[in-house]
Amino acid sequence: MLRGLYTAYTGMLNEQYRMDIMSNNLANADTVGFKKEGSTSQAYSEVMAVKIKDTTEDPNTPKRLGNMSLGVKIGETYTDFSQGSLRDTGNTYDLALSGDGFFNIEFTNKAGETSTKYTRAGNFTLTKEGYLTTKDGDYVLGENGRIQLSTTAGNTVIMEDGSIYQDDVLVTKLKITEFEDTNYLTHYGESMWDAKEGAVANDATDFRVHQGYVEMSNISVVTEMVNMISIQRQYEANQKLITTYDESLDKSVNQIGRV
């Protein structure tokens, strides 16, 4: 019976974790370049421990110690990198990517340490010195480093391949990077990613840059709301199970135990 309580508890804990992820998705439904997250659930491993180097057993033969297959445990959190919708802004330095790849950003933390981050959020701006930066002031990188443009040019045209022209003269080209396995990317803030050790990065080939657009989040508010309702119902079911077990234990201790 106590195992039943534990099973219901693990169910509630798992649903709470899923609810936190769905809430974060909904909170970022209008965040440029945001990619929704999800989570997996796993059954508890049957083998909880293994006895090794025990002279009472056959040499070099591990023996399993007990099992516990009840309940559920939190699995892995994953990111859905599917394409988000493009919104027309008409701003010269707003850029959206369709297809694979990420913009390269020179990010500087509070300690003054510089590293490269990756993003799909292309709501960029031009500083008075002519540097192309994110809304937080981090530099956008081109094939030759920081992108610096003329602030007095008559027009600025950014082609689908990332080439940047000012007054019909090629100035530089955006650096767009793709990864062989996006599982090696970890969230950094709302819409940037950091490459973990083992990530294999290449120059992106299957992409298009859209000037005057931004890529919105790939979240469907309706779908997330339906998922949240489902999670809430499952949480309530586990909660009701704990209440039922508690009532049964009360009767066992205070009524049957007196006889």
Side-chain angles (χ1 to χ4, degrees):
M1 184 175 291
L2 292 179
R3 281 194 174 186
L5 284 172
Y6 185 77
T7 300
Y9 159 74
T10 60
M12 292 177 66
L13 190 65
N14 185 65
E15 298 307 325
Q16 180 63 56
Y17 179 72
R18 293 179 60 203
M19 179 66 78
D20 291 342
I21 292 175
M22 296 298 167
S23 299
N24 183 63
N25 286 343
L26 283 174
N28 288 282
D30 293 325
T31 300
V32 175
F34 183 82
K35 299 300 181 183
K36 69 177 180 180
E37 293 186 317
S39 64
T40 61
S41 302
Q42 299 177 354
Y44 272 97
S45 304
E46 292 184 358
V47 180
M48 303 302 293
V50 176
K51 185 189 297 183
I52 59 175
K53 295 183 179 180
D54 187 348
T55 57
T56 63
E57 305 292 340
D58 293 334
N60 300 320
T61 303
K63 179 181 179 181
R64 297 182 178 185
L65 294 179
N67 62 79
M68 185 174 183
S69 59
L70 300 177
V72 62
K73 63 179 178 180
I74 299 169
E76 298 179 349
T77 300
Y78 63 89
T79 302
D80 180 358
F81 285 98
S82 61
Q83 180 75 45
S85 61
L86 304 186
R87 186 181 71 186
D88 185 359
T89 66
N91 296 327
T92 302
Y93 302 107
D94 278 346
L95 306 175
L97 285 174
S98 60
D100 299 328
F102 298 85
F103 296 110
N104 287 243
I105 307 298
E106 182 184 299
F107 177 80
T108 303
N109 61 21
K110 294 180 179 179
E113 300 170 336
T114 301
S115 61
T116 300
K117 306 298 181 186
Y118 305 91
T119 187
R120 297 276 295 193
N123 47 340
F124 302 138
T125 186
L126 200 67
T127 67
K128 62 182 181 180
E129 294 84 10
Y131 288 105
L132 191 64
T133 67
T134 67
K135 60 184 179 64
D136 296 320
D138 297 306
Y139 295 102
V140 181
L141 297 178
E143 292 184 339
N144 299 314
R146 297 177 181 177
I147 295 176
Q148 187 173 22
L149 306 175
S150 171
T151 57
T152 59
N155 62 16
T156 300
V157 178
I158 301 175
M159 308 300 289
E160 289 187 346
D161 67 350
S163 299
I164 303 177
Y165 290 83
Q166 288 193 302
D167 296 334
D168 299 326
V169 177
L170 177 63
V171 179
T172 186
K173 187 176 182 180
L174 289 163
K175 184 174 178 58
I176 309 297
T177 300
E178 65 180 1
F179 293 88
E180 292 185 4
D181 188 350
T182 53
N183 288 321
Y184 284 93
L185 297 179
T186 57
H187 258 296
Y188 194 94
E190 295 176 347
S191 55
M192 288 202 296
W193 283 269
D194 197 7
K196 298 188 297 184
E197 183 179 354
V200 179
N202 301 303
D203 291 335
T205 55
D206 186 18
F207 72 92
R208 287 193 299 169
V209 177
H210 303 270
Q211 185 178 19
Y213 291 81
V214 291
E215 181 186 4
M216 301 304 296
S217 71
N218 60 349
I219 293 170
S220 169
V221 174
V222 174
T223 300
E224 296 302 304
M225 289 298 295
V226 171
N227 289 336
M228 289 185 72
I229 293 172
S230 175
I231 290 171
Q232 184 177 5
R233 295 291 181 266
Q234 294 178 54
Y235 186 91
E236 291 173 350
N238 283 293
Q239 192 175 39
K240 179 63 176 176
L241 184 60
I242 287 180
T243 302
T244 301
Y245 270 110
D246 182 62
E247 292 174 352
S248 299
L249 287 171
D250 177 66
K251 291 180 180 179
S252 298
V253 173
N254 297 316
Q255 296 182 25
I256 300 177
R258 291 178 179 177
V259 178

